[in-house]
Amino acid sequence: ELEKYKDIAGLKSAAEDKRKRLNTEKDNLKKRKDLFKKVIESLHSQYEDEKSELNANETHSQLANLERKWQHYEQNNFVMKEYIESKTREGDYKPISKGVDDLLAEYNKVIMKQLQ
């Protein structure tokens, strides 16, 4: 290993070559970055143009309004279904009726025993 480090001129040359290669790669990457940045800006500009054109479209505005109304109606529908379900549970007399029938049957048995 010491032999490798004895050749200082060779090490300097290798380091210089590596530095040049890395600088070249850095420059290439910087160019690619700038190119991608331009492409992204172009696409963003195109997106904004399409978006403003869509927002200016009367059909799109009507559709957006109808979607909002639909969402509102769906929400109201859900609330009404829950309200009806809760009122149905409140008005369910069958469990009470069964309890009354059971008590009545029990009282009848007691009365029948007392009459015998």
Side-chain angles (χ1 to χ4, degrees):
E1 274 190 35
L2 289 176
E3 304 258 339
K4 180 169 131 181
Y5 294 111
K6 283 183 182 180
D7 184 18
I8 292 177
L11 290 174
K12 283 183 180 180
S13 173
E16 183 64 25
D17 290 343
K18 186 173 183 178
R19 187 182 65 74
K20 285 180 182 177
R21 184 177 47 83
L22 290 175
N23 279 334
T24 304
E25 188 176 342
K26 177 183 170 187
D27 291 340
N28 289 339
L29 290 174
K30 193 172 189 178
K31 287 177 187 175
R32 284 184 66 195
K33 176 184 143 191
D34 292 340
L35 177 66
F36 282 130
K37 196 173 198 178
K38 287 179 184 176
V39 169
I40 288 172
E41 286 174 0
S42 172
L43 289 174
H44 183 70
S45 174
Q46 182 182 354
Y47 166 76
E48 289 298 326
D49 291 344
E50 295 283 337
K51 184 178 172 184
S52 54
E53 183 181 332
L54 183 62
N55 287 334
N57 186 328
E58 182 64 29
T59 305
H60 176 262
S61 300
Q62 290 174 352
L63 183 59
N65 288 334
L66 287 172
E67 285 177 343
R68 280 192 290 278
K69 282 183 183 178
W70 184 16
Q71 184 180 15
H72 178 72
Y73 290 143
E74 284 291 327
Q75 188 176 9
N76 285 345
N77 192 17
F78 177 76
V79 169
M80 292 306 288
K81 281 181 180 179
E82 285 202 342
Y83 175 78
I84 291 169
E85 187 178 316
S86 71
K87 291 301 177 184
T88 301
R89 276 185 264 128
E90 282 179 18
D92 190 11
Y93 64 90
K94 289 181 183 177
I96 297 170
S97 175
K98 182 171 177 3
V100 169
D101 288 344
D102 291 345
L103 282 174
L104 188 59
E106 192 176 321
Y107 287 145
N108 280 339
K109 285 180 187 176
V110 170
I111 293 172
M112 291 302 279
K113 281 186 181 177
Q114 286 178 353
L115 289 176
Q116 287 178 358

